Amino acid sequence: MSVRSLSIIGLEKNTGKTESMKYIIRRIKETDPQRVLCLTSIGLDGEAVDQVTFTPKPEVIIHEGDLFATSEVHYREKNFLSEVLWVSAYRTALGRVVLSRALEKGKVKLSGPSTLSGLKELMKVAKKQGTDLFLLDGALSRRSSASPFLCEGVVLATGAALSLNFKEIIRKTLHHVRLMNLPIDPMANHIEKFDEGIWLIKKGVFEKLPYRTLLGDTSAILDHMKRGSKLYISGSLTEGFIKRLVERKLSEGTTLVVKDHTKIFLSPESMDLFLESGGRLMVLRSPNLLAVTFNPISPQGYVLNSGAVLTALKKALDVPVIDVMEGEKIGQRKTL
């Protein structure tokens, strides 16, 4: 793994992000134990029980010499020795963010920065303190943690929490990977310099439309377009806009450009509707997807037979597909 920063994101709550992080840490410690890691979370990880579903959650173990960033509240709760390296000037709901180096092995709850700017600042400080790999446990409600504008690599966690129907897991996982692999617009480097908003691009001429997002008057935005238009949208691309675009028969030859896959909120059906009617969907940056992990255990304790899911995903994808729970004893769990 040659990247210096890695984000782990889940397709659903409890799809195994933290288990995936533990798997990555275990593999690194087996192969390169001197590599210095820095762990944090954009949400809350490492607690014994999920605060929303009240189901057990995996513990987060920090190894001696590694760095971790968590809130003041959870820093005080740890029971192992550590050295404080930095404290943020800003505050989260749980206090300032504390970056520390573990002087011995121990358990910790991770609750790091909740904003992109906070994460970027933390990454710079952690790098100066000798971090070789920054590991970010993302959050379902903060898709921006998967943005290629933040980390060099991404691991996608899917699993039984998404559905107990293995075909549905495969369908949703492949759709998300498809979004992550959208083509990059040839003018991406130039468009990245644009202000936030909606831009109409005609024969190399860029016109900023008087709308910040697609959530307002969709009809007014479409009135500026015709077949073959090219539109850059800095915010979210929504289902409603795509449906109106197709209904008005404007999609043929039209190109929609968004920052990255985290800005796209389209079902597989809506995306196919747009593409099959002649539209094109492009991004400014694509994430470096390094692996897909699969957690066969649902929050209710059911265990899916991972064979069919793993076989289908491995056949469709060109990145490693890993069962993060492989080797665990599952005899006491309910098996579907």
Side-chain angles (χ1 to χ4, degrees):
M1 191 180 294
S2 59
V3 298
R4 296 185 63 89
S5 57
L6 178 65
S7 174
I8 304 162
I9 59 166
L11 282 180
E12 182 58 79
K13 191 171 179 59
N14 295 318
T15 49
K17 290 187 285 79
T18 307
E19 289 290 356
S20 300
M21 177 184 274
K22 291 174 63 178
Y23 177 88
I24 292 167
I25 294 170
R26 186 167 67 248
R27 292 298 303 271
I28 290 174
K29 295 303 176 185
E30 289 172 354
T31 57
D32 189 4
Q34 301 306 314
R35 196 171 187 186
V36 178
L37 309 180
C38 179
L39 279 59
T40 194
S41 170
I42 198 171
L44 170 60
D45 291 286
E47 72 271 37
V49 178
D50 190 286
Q51 301 299 304
V52 176
T53 62
F54 302 105
T55 53
K57 291 197 67 176
E59 297 173 331
V60 174
I61 304 295
I62 305 292
H63 291 254
E64 180 181 350
D66 283 343
L67 278 58
F68 62 98
T70 192
S71 66
E72 287 178 289
V73 169
H74 291 138
Y75 182 80
R76 295 192 193 100
E77 293 180 0
K78 69 172 183 56
N79 56 3
F80 60 92
L81 293 175
S82 64
E83 171 191 12
V84 174
L85 302 173
W86 173 82
V87 179
S88 70
Y90 59 85
R91 303 182 71 87
T92 70
L94 297 170
R96 294 174 294 179
V97 174
V98 182
L99 175 67
S100 308
R101 188 188 310 279
L103 301 178
E104 58 185 359
K105 191 174 181 179
K107 299 176 187 176
V108 70
K109 295 177 185 175
L110 293 176
S111 51
S114 57
T115 63
L116 279 184
S117 60
L119 282 168
K120 288 178 178 178
E121 182 184 14
L122 173 63
M123 291 168 73
K124 288 180 181 177
V125 177
K127 184 179 179 181
K128 290 179 180 176
Q129 293 293 337
T131 295
D132 295 317
L133 176 61
F134 186 91
L135 279 174
L136 170 63
D137 195 326
L140 176 67
S141 57
R142 297 185 180 95
R143 296 180 60 165
S144 56
S145 59
S147 170
F149 288 85
L150 180 64
C151 288
E152 294 179 8
V154 171
V155 168
L156 179 65
T158 186
L162 191 61
S163 171
L164 292 179
N165 182 324
F166 76 90
K167 291 183 179 177
E168 189 66 5
I169 295 173
I170 294 167
R171 187 180 79 91
K172 290 183 176 179
T173 304
L174 293 182
H175 172 62
H176 203 85
V177 174
R178 184 185 183 195
L179 294 178
M180 298 173 94
N181 288 328
L182 286 172
I184 296 174
D185 187 89
M187 303 181 71
N189 290 338
H190 184 67
I191 297 176
E192 275 192 26
K193 301 171 185 173
F194 287 7
D195 296 334
E196 299 291 307
I198 299 173
W199 293 76
L200 185 64
I201 305 167
K202 292 187 291 188
K203 298 180 180 179
V205 177
F206 302 88
E207 176 190 358
K208 187 174 184 180
L209 302 183
Y211 316 98
R212 286 190 60 81
T213 73
L214 296 177
L215 300 177
D217 190 347
T218 302
S219 295
I221 297 172
L222 293 173
D223 287 343
H224 290 273
M225 300 177 65
K226 59 182 180 181
R227 287 182 183 178
S229 293
K230 184 172 183 176
L231 203 68
Y232 168 59
I233 306 149
S234 68
S236 300
L237 176 58
T238 61
E239 291 256 347
F241 182 77
I242 288 294
K243 289 179 180 176
R244 294 293 301 277
L245 186 71
V246 174
E247 287 171 1
R248 288 179 57 162
K249 303 186 186 305
L250 292 171
S251 52
E252 185 177 349
T254 288
T255 301
L256 299 179
V257 184
V258 295
K259 279 187 176 179
D260 57 59
H261 68 106
T262 66
K263 300 292 185 182
I264 303 172
F265 294 82
L266 301 180
S267 66
E269 293 77 15
S270 294
M271 185 166 168
D272 286 338
L273 178 67
F274 175 62
L275 297 179
E276 290 170 4
S277 62
R280 289 181 295 181
L281 187 54
M282 309 186 89
V283 293
L284 300 186
R285 291 192 196 180
S286 292
N288 178 17
L289 179 63
L290 298 175
V292 173
T293 60
F294 177 68
N295 179 2
I297 305 172
S298 77
Q300 295 77 31
Y302 290 102
V303 181
L304 289 181
N305 183 339
S306 59
V309 178
L310 294 175
T311 299
L313 293 179
K314 287 178 179 177
K315 185 177 180 180
L317 303 176
D318 58 0
V319 296
V321 180
I322 302 161
D323 180 347
V324 292
M325 303 303 290
E326 188 176 11
E328 285 218 344
K329 294 179 180 178
I330 59 175
Q332 296 181 342
R333 300 189 181 106
K334 296 167 276 187
T335 304
L336 290 179

